[in-house]
Amino acid sequence: HPKMERYFMTVREACQLIMQASWLVKGVMLLLLLASVASWVIIFRKRQVLNRAEKEADTFEEKFWSGTDLTAMHEAITAGHRKTDGMERIFESGFSEFLRMRQQARMGPTAMVEGAQRSMRIALTRETEELEHHLNFLATVGSTSPYISLFSTVWGMMTSFHQLQNVNQS
């Protein structure tokens, strides 16, 4: 196929250009390649995590709003001795705090609800931090990669101009 031959010639020419590049340009290309691979790995993992979190949240919400006894639901969550996450962890945290404060019996209903809300806010913050893990890396790579590429381009142009200057003087 003529298109395939042209494609492989283009790949061959690109490989030759890379091999002829200076060590700085090769380093920049390697850095960008590694950042790209790491970014795609994070993106695909983050997609899996978010899809799983969404399914678990839907399942929990369905159980929660089904009218089931919240105490029985809490006992089922804590009896499993498994690591909870997502909405289940937020519920477990708030309900556990509510039960703890209710056992003390010195506080009014408003204080118990406020304590449960505080506990749930803390759990929500932790869950959010877990879901946002590695997003700073993606933001940094996304914002700095164009500048690193521009630097490499300018470096290549400067090298070309120096080589042209040497050719004209010969």
Side-chain angles (χ1 to χ4, degrees):
H1 295 314
K3 286 185 180 181
M4 290 297 281
E5 286 178 28
R6 240 186 346 219
Y7 171 76
F8 284 118
M9 273 187 91
T10 306
V11 170
R12 201 174 306 124
E13 290 169 357
C15 289
Q16 288 174 350
L17 282 174
I18 291 171
M19 296 312 291
Q20 293 172 359
S22 70
W23 62 269
L24 182 70
V25 173
K26 287 178 186 175
V28 168
M29 286 190 288
L30 179 64
L31 176 71
L32 291 173
L33 178 67
L34 292 175
S36 177
V37 169
S39 295
W40 282 109
V41 167
I42 291 170
I43 288 167
F44 286 121
R45 283 188 181 165
K46 192 60 59 183
R47 182 176 178 184
Q48 290 173 339
V49 167
L50 291 175
N51 284 341
R52 190 189 82 224
E54 185 177 15
K55 286 178 188 174
E56 289 175 358
D58 290 342
T59 303
F60 176 80
E61 253 188 279
E62 205 172 286
K63 279 192 269 182
F64 183 82
W65 293 112
S66 69
T68 188
D69 179 30
L70 295 182
T71 305
M73 188 175 177
H74 179 262
E75 288 173 0
I77 292 171
T78 55
H81 298 295
R82 60 184 169 79
K83 182 183 179 287
T84 59
D85 56 353
M87 291 180 73
E88 199 172 66
R89 181 187 294 172
I90 295 167
F91 168 76
E92 190 264 329
S93 175
F95 205 80
S96 293
E97 182 66 14
F98 176 78
L99 291 176
R100 186 185 70 74
M101 294 178 87
R102 189 172 75 178
Q103 286 175 350
Q104 290 179 353
R106 291 179 288 186
M107 300 179 187
T110 305
M112 288 190 289
V113 170
E114 287 174 358
Q117 286 176 336
R118 182 177 52 253
S119 180
M120 291 172 73
R121 275 194 301 272
I122 292 168
L124 175 63
T125 301
R126 288 182 183 147
E127 286 299 310
T128 303
E129 287 172 357
E130 280 186 37
L131 290 175
E132 291 177 350
H133 190 64
H134 292 306
L135 290 184
N136 288 339
F137 175 80
L138 291 177
T140 301
V141 168
S143 63
T144 59
S145 292
Y147 297 110
I148 294 171
S149 298
L150 180 62
F151 166 74
S152 182
T153 302
V154 170
W155 184 268
M157 291 174 63
M158 287 175 30
T159 304
S160 297
F161 287 139
H162 283 292
Q163 289 174 349
L164 283 174
Q165 182 181 14
N166 293 339
V167 169
N168 286 340
Q169 290 178 356
S170 304

